[in-house]
Each structure stands twice: as C-alpha cells, then as structure tokens.
Amino acid sequence: MKKWQKSFLGLLCLIYIFVLSMTIWPQSITVTNDFIAKINDSNPINQHEFLNIAQISLLALTVLVLVIVVLIPAQKKGILLEKNKQGLLSLSNEGVISFIITRLSGYSMSNIKVNFKNTKKINRFDITADSLYKNHVIKQLPEIKHTLTSEIQELLSGVDDKKIKLNIKVNQKQSSSSHKKKSTRVV
C-alpha cells in the first residue's frame, strides 16, 4: 500500500471515529459546543444540525471511497497459462520482468528497471535503463521496442490476448571519474 493510500485511510478512520463518537455520546457535542462558544464569544451551534451535517458528509465520503475502489483496476499477480482439474499453471510477474531484463541487457543497457502492471485489459511495461552509448541506443529504440513487443507476445502467445503497452526510457550513465573530481589544497 502506498503512503498516500495509508494517509487517506488513516484520515478516513479518524473522521469515522469522530462522527461515530458524536452519535454515540451526543453530550460530548454539547460540552464541546459550549466550550467553543465561550472561547469565541459566539452563539452555540444547534446540536442536531451539526450531527446531521457530520453524518451526511460521512455518507458522501463513504460513497466516494466506494466509487474509487470499484473503478481502480485490480492488478494480477501472474499470467494464467493453464487451468484444469490438476491445478493451476501461471507465469509470475517477476518471471516476465526477468525475461525483459535478460532481453534488454544485450543492447548495451545497464541498471534496467521494469515496472509491470498486469490488469484485466492491458499489460503495461515502463522500462528505464542506463547506457554509456545513449545516442546509439536512442537510434535503435524503435527497433528494440518492436522486437521486445513481439518477443513478449511470443512468450504469451495463445495465453494472454491483452494489449501490450511498452515505454522505454534511456538515461546517460555518468562516468565515475568526472563525477568524483576533488580539488587538492597545498598548505
């Protein structure tokens, strides 16, 4: 789970706790309302209106979360190869990633990182790599992309007819000698 998802769920839980505690113990609203009215020198808020607004906002937030959960596509842990009475045979996402790294290492690329999203309708690959020969690799990039796409389709032939989307980014690797130059000082 990502940090923003944890933060959002934590905030949602705090809101639920606050609204449910107000529903269970309505006298807490009265005490809080009187305390805020004394501090601000204002009229107290109507307890029933405040509770109704809190419950309606909680209901709207719950519906919003439900819609988000339903619309976000679920990622699959592997690609189903065969399913029969004896069991299930699948190719894991890590196996596909390893296949791609092996294929790309022959094109003078290093530090290859593959982000694979396997959903119901699409297999999406976001690949980043370093290369000492950036200009040469960039010229070959359309050919590399076409070859890799056909190899992935061949790997998954007859099994997975989903659309394959492939993005490759190549960064130039910095040489360590130019990066670590230090000036000397004679005293």
Side-chain angles (χ1 to χ4, degrees):
M1 190 176 284
K2 296 176 183 172
K3 284 185 178 182
W4 71 268
Q5 291 170 332
K6 287 182 181 180
S7 301
F8 181 73
L9 288 176
L11 180 65
L12 186 64
C13 286
L14 288 175
I15 292 171
Y16 266 99
I17 290 169
F18 180 70
V19 172
L20 289 176
S21 66
M22 288 189 311
T23 305
I24 294 170
W25 299 292
Q27 63 271 19
S28 66
I29 297 174
T30 308
V31 172
T32 306
N33 196 9
D34 292 339
F35 179 72
I36 292 173
K38 285 180 185 178
I39 292 174
N40 293 337
D41 292 329
S42 62
N43 294 331
I45 301 170
N46 186 353
Q47 178 178 344
H48 295 291
E49 286 180 22
F50 183 72
L51 193 57
N52 286 339
I53 291 171
Q55 290 172 342
I56 289 172
S57 63
L58 188 63
L59 179 66
L61 192 61
T62 305
V63 169
L64 178 69
V65 169
L66 179 66
V67 168
I68 290 172
V69 167
V70 168
L71 293 180
I72 291 178
Q75 285 195 21
K76 298 181 178 183
K77 297 182 189 266
I79 297 171
L80 182 65
L81 298 176
E82 185 178 338
K83 184 178 181 180
N84 55 25
K85 293 178 184 178
Q86 286 80 22
L88 183 71
L89 178 65
S90 65
L91 178 62
S92 70
N93 292 347
E94 290 80 19
V96 176
I97 290 171
S98 177
F99 175 79
I100 291 172
I101 290 173
T102 303
R103 292 294 184 209
L104 288 178
S105 63
Y107 291 105
S108 69
M109 292 184 192
S110 62
N111 197 19
I112 301 168
K113 295 179 183 171
V114 180
N115 186 8
F116 176 38
K117 292 188 180 179
N118 179 12
T119 60
K120 187 176 181 179
K121 296 182 181 180
I122 191 167
N123 287 331
R124 181 183 177 91
F125 301 93
D126 292 318
I127 303 166
T128 57
D130 293 333
S131 178
L132 288 173
Y133 310 105
K134 181 180 178 182
N135 293 334
H136 177 68
V137 172
I138 288 177
K139 288 178 185 174
Q140 287 186 330
L141 211 52
E143 179 186 329
I144 293 170
K145 187 175 179 180
H146 177 70
T147 305
L148 188 61
T149 304
S150 63
E151 288 175 349
I152 292 171
Q153 286 174 341
E154 184 179 328
L155 176 69
L156 306 176
S157 65
V159 176
D160 201 359
D161 296 333
K162 293 186 269 184
K163 184 179 175 184
I164 295 175
K165 189 166 184 176
L166 192 67
N167 294 326
I168 302 176
K169 296 177 186 172
V170 178
N171 300 327
Q172 188 171 5
K173 190 174 183 180
Q174 294 179 350
S175 62
S176 59
S177 62
S178 66
H179 186 64
K180 294 183 178 180
K181 284 187 179 179
K182 294 182 179 180
S183 61
T184 57
R185 183 175 153 185
V186 178
V187 179

